[in-house]
């Protein structure tokens, strides 16, 4: 597990750094999406999460849902195109799971991708992602811890 400016960044995930979202390939061909430690840190306490519903289409670069905190309301930008196959129902009653565990219990939705082979090449992973995040955080003066 890597760290940049005090922000946790698991190297096995795919990141759209500028949008502060991550994607994780699951063994069944689906991809799980969530927001990064950086995003949850900037938002502060998450008070509501509204993902697109199961069966709905998501498109890369468009909203896959909304996250709301006491200081911010914004979209969860989808890093990929596909169909929503699951949403994290626990977030309805406990949205702060994202603050406590953005890469685990705080996942937002799971998608059956339709263009994953080409779209994952547009995301960063491993040390390349950590370096890009480090550069962004330094440039914007952001620290998580």
């Amino acid at each position: 597990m890597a760290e940049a400016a005090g922000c946790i960044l698991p190297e096995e995930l795919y990141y759209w750094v500028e949008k502060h979202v991550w994607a994780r390939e699951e063994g069944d061909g689906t991809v799980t999406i969530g927001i990064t430690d950086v995003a949850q840190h900037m938002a502060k306490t998450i008070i509501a999460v509204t993902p697109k519903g199961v069966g709905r289409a998501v498109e890369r670069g468009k909203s896959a849902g909304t996250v709301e905190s006491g200081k911010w309301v914004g979209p969860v930008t989808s890093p990929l195109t596909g169909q929503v196959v699951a949403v994290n129902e626990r977030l309805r009653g406990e949205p702060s799971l994202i603050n406590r565990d953005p890469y685990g219990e705080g996942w937002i939705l799971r998608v059956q991708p339709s263009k994953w082979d080409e779209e994952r090449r547009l995301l960063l992973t491993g040390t390349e992602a950590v370096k890009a995040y480090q550069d962004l955080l330094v440039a914007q003066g952001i620290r998580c811890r």
Side-chain angles (χ1 to χ4, degrees):
M1 180 115 26
E3 193 174 298
C7 305
I8 297 168
L9 298 165
E11 293 175 277
E12 69 275 10
L13 301 179
Y14 291 86
Y15 295 93
W16 190 345
V17 173
E18 299 79 11
K19 300 296 185 183
H20 302 292
V21 293
W22 58 264
R24 179 180 60 231
E25 292 179 296
E26 303 298 340
D28 61 1
T30 63
V31 177
T32 300
I33 298 171
I35 65 171
T36 64
D37 188 31
V38 177
Q40 73 79 23
H41 170 77
M42 291 189 306
K44 303 294 182 211
T45 303
I46 306 292
I47 59 173
V49 180
T50 310
K52 281 199 171 182
V54 172
R56 298 279 310 272
V58 293
E59 186 178 333
R60 177 179 162 75
K62 304 289 185 185
S63 178
T66 304
V67 172
E68 180 179 350
S69 74
K71 68 181 267 186
W72 177 81
V73 176
V76 175
T77 303
S78 181
L80 58 99
T81 301
Q83 184 175 23
V84 178
V85 295
V87 298
N88 187 348
E89 295 293 343
R90 288 186 60 199
L91 294 177
R92 291 189 198 280
E94 199 176 354
S96 63
L97 280 172
I98 292 176
N99 296 112
R100 289 194 307 275
D101 189 9
Y103 305 112
E105 293 183 353
W107 65 276
I108 297 174
L109 50 90
R110 192 161 291 134
V111 174
Q112 181 65 55
S114 58
K115 302 177 184 177
W116 183 236
D117 285 341
E118 65 188 75
E119 290 177 334
R120 79 170 141 213
R121 288 186 280 241
L122 302 172
L123 304 172
L124 299 178
T125 192
T127 56
E128 185 181 20
V130 174
K131 171 74 170 102
Y133 240 126
Q134 179 70 38
D135 292 346
L136 179 83
L137 296 171
V138 168
Q140 295 183 1
I142 300 168
R143 285 201 58 79
C144 290
R145 289 164 186 82

